[in-house]
């Protein structure tokens, strides 16, 4: 994960009238990283991406794309990024080839290199057969692919994809995910989604945005560690009292789910299973079920976004 | 980048039936007007022959033809320009241009150049009509050049106003109606002054009127003030369109 930082965002704000859509957002993205922006509808994901791509001016704060300030040197900054908005920006009356050729030239690909760039983008997005078809007649999935092809046609260093897999069938979603993982080898990718498994499938870094503010910024490994810091489910034929269990070192809280069945909230980093088994044998609790419960990303997400706090909590490294 | 955007626009225009329909209908209307004018010339030709300093075929046929063509264009140009930017907004294709390494000025100029290309094609088709008269006689080429320049400048101003109006809205029809309103207003702005005033149109309203500057060029008198008037309109409205697109990014 070491490398130069391709995207740097500092104290970004965006207001729509009095409504604050993006509230003091700062982060960095290094080469080779895939950043997943996660958030409920209306959390400010699209607004953030529109600002990163230069479509929307921030109310305050600065954005550097590949070392260029997007407001001071928009041309250099925009040359380094490819952007797919939530609705693919397609000219429906053109054919795929015409459209991609236009996009390539527009993004500054030289005339000579255009044909190669178009065929390469088509190949990566599985559009080889569709070159001569009119975009308006393509299915939604293919239109989405054309949109992605458009974003990567000039081999930008940063690819910004706003909900790239919306409206696709499961097979296409898998293909797009493979494509994103492929892109990540040479480019940096920022993608937004509200589909949680997608984040786990392709992202190396996750940010959760809630009401415009960054509430979580962590690598996927960090997140997985957090998900393992989990609970134990234990069932006994001769159950002990709750206080006995609570007395064990490392147990934060004990919940009785059913008679004889408990959920033990374990403090982060503690391994309790072995000790529990030993204790059960010593005291004759007759343990017959012991399950490690993992927190899913969904639980983390729900916990963070429904926590009713005005002050956003920053977790992990460098929020 | 500017020619690229212009070419894309023209391409989209010509794959839709709109461009062809407009070209065909305008051509038919102008041909009808042209033939009427030629017919009129043939009728009065014997009488003209007796006059000293008689007006030639260019004055009798070509100038009125261009005068009428301007009226037709007043109706047609809003239809051509209405979709320029409003369609990009409506189809959500604006982000493509905005996230590409091109400036707002390049986008607006590209759009403008595209529509000028289309209008120039119309002008070319129109110019062929008087040139056909060469088969049977001579033409005053200076005057024809004045007419062509006049109509080109006029169309240029129409298009700039239309482009600006199109930048204001997402609804093409609203863009068309407001363009038409502004054009018509600039066309008739000095009408109610004419009977009461000094009649030579030297007042402010007279200067604002598109008609006066156009008529001067149709008469074959090239006055730099007229040309500057049109250039001012073109540059002014293009700058407004650029500012308008810039403002899009700032506020919502």
């Amino acid at each position: 994960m070491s490398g130069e930082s391709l995207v740097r965002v500092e104290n970004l704000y965006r207001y729509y009238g009095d409504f604050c859509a993006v509230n003091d957002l700062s982060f960095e993205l290094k080469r080779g990283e895939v950043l997943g922006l996660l958030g409920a509808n209306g959390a400010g994901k699209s607004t953030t991406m529109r600002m990163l791509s230069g479509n929307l001016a921030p109310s305050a704060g600065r954005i550097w794309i590949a070392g260029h300030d997007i407001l001071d040197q928009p041309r250099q900054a925009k040359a380094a990024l490819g952007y797919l908005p939530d609705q693919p920006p397609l000219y429906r009356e053109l054919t795929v080839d015409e459209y991609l050729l236009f996009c390539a030239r527009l993004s500054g690909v030289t005339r000579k290199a255009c044909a190669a760039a178009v065929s390469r983008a088509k190949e990566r997005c599985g559009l080889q057969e569709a070159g001569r078809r009119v975009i308006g007649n393509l299915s939604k999935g293919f239109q989405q692919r054309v949109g992605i092809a458009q974003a990567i046609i000039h081999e930008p260093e940063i690819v910004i994809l706003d909900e790239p897999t919306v409206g696709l069938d499961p097979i296409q979603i898998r293909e797009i995910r493979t494509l994103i993982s492929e892109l990540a080898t040479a480019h940096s990718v920022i993608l937004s989604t509200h589909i949680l498994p997608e984040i786990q499938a392709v992202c190396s870094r996750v940010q959760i945005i809630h009401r415009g503010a960054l509430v979580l910024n962590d690598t996927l490994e960090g997140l997985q560690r957090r998900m393992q810091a989990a609970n134990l489910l234990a069932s006994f034929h001769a159950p002990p009292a709750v206080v006995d269990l609570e007395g064990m070192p490392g147990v934060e809280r004990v919940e009785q789910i059913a008679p004889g069945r408990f959920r033990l909230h374990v403090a982060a980093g503690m391994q309790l299973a072995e000790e529990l088994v030993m204790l059960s044998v010593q005291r004759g609790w007759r343990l017959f079920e012991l399950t490690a419960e993992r927190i899913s990303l969904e639980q983390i997400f729900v916990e963070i976004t429904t926590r009713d706090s005005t002050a956003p909590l920053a977790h992990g490294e460098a929020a | 980048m500017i020619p690229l955007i212009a070419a894309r626009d023209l391409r989209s225009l010509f794959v839709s039936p709109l461009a062809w329909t407009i070209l065909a209908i305008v051509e038919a209307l102008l041909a009808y007007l042209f033939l009427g004018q030629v017919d009129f010339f043939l009728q009065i030709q014997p009488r003209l022959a007796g006059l000293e300093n008689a007006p030639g075929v260019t004055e009798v046929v070509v100038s009125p033809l261009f005068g009428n063509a301007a009226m037709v264009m007043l109706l047609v140009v809003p239809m051509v320009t209405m979709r320029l930017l409003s369609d990009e907004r409506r189809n959500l294709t604006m982000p493509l241009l905005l996230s590409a390494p091109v400036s707002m000025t390049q986008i607006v100029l590209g759009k403008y150049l595209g529509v000028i290309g289309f209008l120039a094609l119309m002008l070319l088709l129109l110019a062929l009509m008087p040139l056909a008269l060469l088969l049977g006689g001579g033409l005053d080429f200076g005057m024809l050049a004045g007419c062509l320049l006049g109509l080109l400048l006029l169309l240029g101003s129409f298009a700039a106003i239309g482009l600006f109006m199109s930048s204001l809205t997402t609804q093409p029809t609203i863009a068309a109606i407001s363009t038409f309103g502004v054009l018509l207003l600039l066309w008739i702005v000095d009408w109610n002054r004419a009977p009461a005033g000094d009649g030579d149109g030297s007042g402010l309203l007279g200067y604002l009127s598109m008609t006066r500057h156009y008529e001067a060029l149709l008469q074959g008198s090239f006055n730099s003030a007229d040309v500057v008037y049109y250039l001012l309109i073109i540059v002014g409205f293009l700058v407004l369109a650029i500012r308008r697109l810039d403002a899009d990014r700032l506020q919502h």
Side-chain angles (χ1 to χ4, degrees):
Chain A
M1 287 305 152
S2 65
E4 83 234 69
S5 87
L6 286 179
V7 179
R8 198 144 65 87
V9 174
E10 272 181 15
N11 307 99
L12 199 64
Y13 285 88
R14 173 71 209 194
Y15 290 91
Y16 293 117
D18 284 336
F19 176 69
C20 182
V22 171
N23 185 357
D24 196 13
L25 202 65
S26 304
F27 63 89
E28 256 183 74
L29 184 67
K30 296 195 166 63
R31 185 182 293 278
E33 279 187 316
V34 180
L35 170 69
L37 283 182
L38 200 58
N41 291 324
K45 298 181 306 252
S46 289
T47 304
T48 307
M49 297 193 132
R50 289 177 63 199
M51 285 193 282
L52 289 176
S53 63
N55 276 269
L56 198 63
S59 304
R62 298 188 72 182
I63 300 170
W64 286 270
I65 303 283
H68 304 286
D69 188 304
I70 191 112
L71 292 180
D72 292 343
Q73 301 172 297
R75 238 180 269 190
Q76 291 91 324
K78 286 175 183 176
L81 68 84
Y83 172 51
L84 172 70
D86 46 0
Q87 298 279 335
L90 305 174
Y91 294 111
R92 304 173 59 83
E93 65 277 10
L94 299 182
T95 66
V96 173
D97 279 340
E98 284 172 335
Y99 173 72
L100 289 180
L101 193 64
F102 170 70
C103 295
R105 300 273 298 124
L106 192 68
S107 308
V109 178
T110 56
R111 200 180 285 272
K112 276 185 199 161
C114 266
V118 169
S119 62
R120 184 166 157 72
K122 277 198 299 184
E123 190 193 315
R124 293 177 99 171
C125 299
L127 289 166
Q128 295 98 323
E129 309 294 314
R132 297 172 65 89
R133 295 188 58 191
V134 174
I135 292 176
N137 296 340
L138 292 175
S139 70
K140 179 126 175 32
F142 268 92
Q143 291 186 354
Q144 190 72 19
R145 291 178 194 212
V146 177
I148 297 177
Q150 162 273 124
I152 61 173
I153 195 155
H154 53 297
E155 300 276 323
E157 294 183 276
I158 298 139
V159 184
I160 302 176
L161 306 170
D162 198 347
E163 302 195 356
T165 55
V166 156
L168 300 184
D169 68 41
I171 296 173
Q172 287 170 330
I173 290 181
R174 284 186 56 173
E175 285 172 7
I176 298 289
R177 284 182 191 163
T178 316
L179 176 68
I180 291 170
S181 313
E182 244 176 72
L183 285 175
T185 54
H187 315 257
S188 289
V189 182
I190 301 179
L191 74 131
S192 79
T193 183
H194 46 238
I195 306 167
L196 299 163
E198 192 159 292
I199 294 278
Q200 281 169 301
V202 298
C203 296
S204 57
R205 172 174 281 279
V206 182
Q207 293 187 345
I208 296 181
I209 295 183
H210 181 52
R211 294 198 192 139
L214 196 60
V215 288
L216 181 139
N217 180 1
D218 207 344
T219 59
L220 198 67
E221 295 94 70
L223 210 65
Q224 258 149 10
R225 229 176 296 129
R226 184 191 295 259
M227 290 190 294
Q228 275 160 4
N231 309 329
L232 285 177
L233 271 180
S235 303
F236 307 93
H237 281 310
V242 171
V243 278
D244 288 339
L245 292 173
E246 271 177 343
M248 289 173 65
V251 173
E252 283 182 335
R253 194 154 57 81
V254 176
E255 228 178 295
Q256 183 154 17
I257 308 166
R261 196 150 194 257
F262 302 90
R263 176 179 285 125
L264 284 77
H265 293 258
V266 182
M270 297 291 285
Q271 294 298 329
L272 217 67
E274 193 183 346
E275 203 177 329
L276 189 67
V277 173
M278 304 240 303
L279 214 59
S280 161
V281 172
Q282 277 169 19
R283 305 199 183 172
W285 291 341
R286 295 172 64 199
L287 176 77
F288 69 93
E289 185 203 343
L290 188 61
T291 318
E293 235 184 3
R294 284 171 65 97
I295 309 176
S296 66
L297 183 56
E298 189 174 326
Q299 277 169 302
I300 296 182
F301 178 67
V302 168
E303 186 198 333
I304 287 175
T305 52
T306 53
R307 187 188 296 155
D308 205 29
S309 62
T310 42
L313 279 163
H315 290 272
E317 45 193 87
Chain B
M1 290 299 149
I2 297 174
L4 180 73
I5 294 172
R8 209 286 308 164
D9 253 35
L10 277 177
R11 171 89 193 128
S12 285
L13 200 58
F14 276 105
V15 293
S16 78
L18 181 74
W20 300 102
T21 315
I22 287 179
L23 280 179
I25 289 176
V26 167
E27 195 64 6
L29 281 174
L30 292 178
Y32 179 73
L33 290 169
F34 173 66
L35 290 177
Q37 218 63 43
V38 170
D39 204 34
F40 174 65
F41 178 72
L42 290 178
Q43 272 175 23
I44 62 167
Q45 200 177 19
R47 272 182 287 159
L48 287 179
L51 287 175
E52 234 176 280
N53 241 338
V57 65
T58 318
E59 278 153 295
V60 176
V61 177
V62 180
S63 292
L65 173 67
F66 275 75
N68 292 330
M71 283 308 288
V72 175
M73 292 301 184
L74 188 76
L75 297 167
V76 167
V77 171
M79 311 277 183
V80 182
T81 58
M82 66 180 181
R83 289 149 58 112
L84 283 174
L85 289 164
S86 59
D87 242 22
E88 299 261 0
R89 283 229 185 86
R90 233 153 82 102
N91 298 335
L92 304 169
T93 47
M94 213 59 195
L96 183 69
L97 297 174
L98 293 184
S99 57
V102 291
S103 64
M104 290 292 181
T105 313
Q106 285 175 316
I107 295 173
V108 168
L109 287 182
K111 293 268 161 199
Y112 184 67
L113 196 68
V115 76
I116 287 296
F118 180 72
L119 294 175
L121 182 67
M122 254 188 210
L123 194 63
L124 184 74
L125 289 173
L126 174 63
L128 288 177
M129 290 182 204
L131 289 176
L133 291 178
L134 283 175
L135 293 174
L139 277 179
D140 181 345
F141 281 106
M143 199 162 174
L144 180 61
C147 289
L148 283 173
L149 177 70
L151 192 55
L152 183 65
L153 286 171
L154 192 73
L155 289 179
S157 339
F158 285 3
I161 293 172
L163 181 63
F164 170 63
M165 291 299 166
S166 183
S167 75
L168 294 179
T169 170
T170 47
Q171 302 286 336
T173 38
I174 294 178
I177 290 286
S178 26
T179 308
F180 178 70
V182 173
L183 294 185
L184 195 62
L185 181 69
L186 283 175
W187 198 257
I188 62 170
V189 68
D190 66 333
W191 279 13
N192 51 2
R193 246 190 74 94
D198 39 8
D200 62 354
S202 54
L204 174 67
L205 291 183
Y207 180 76
L208 281 179
S209 158
M210 282 199 171
T211 338
R212 296 204 181 248
H213 300 280
Y214 186 50
E215 273 165 2
L217 282 162
L218 285 191
Q219 301 310 316
S221 71
F222 181 88
N223 190 341
S224 52
D226 298 327
V227 177
V228 167
Y229 166 82
Y230 286 116
L231 292 181
L232 274 180
I233 288 196
I234 293 172
V235 173
F237 278 95
L238 288 184
V239 169
L240 284 177
I242 295 169
R243 305 279 307 180
R244 170 64 211 160
L245 283 191
D246 261 329
D248 254 7
R249 296 189 329 138
L250 297 174
Q251 48 157 37
H252 269 277

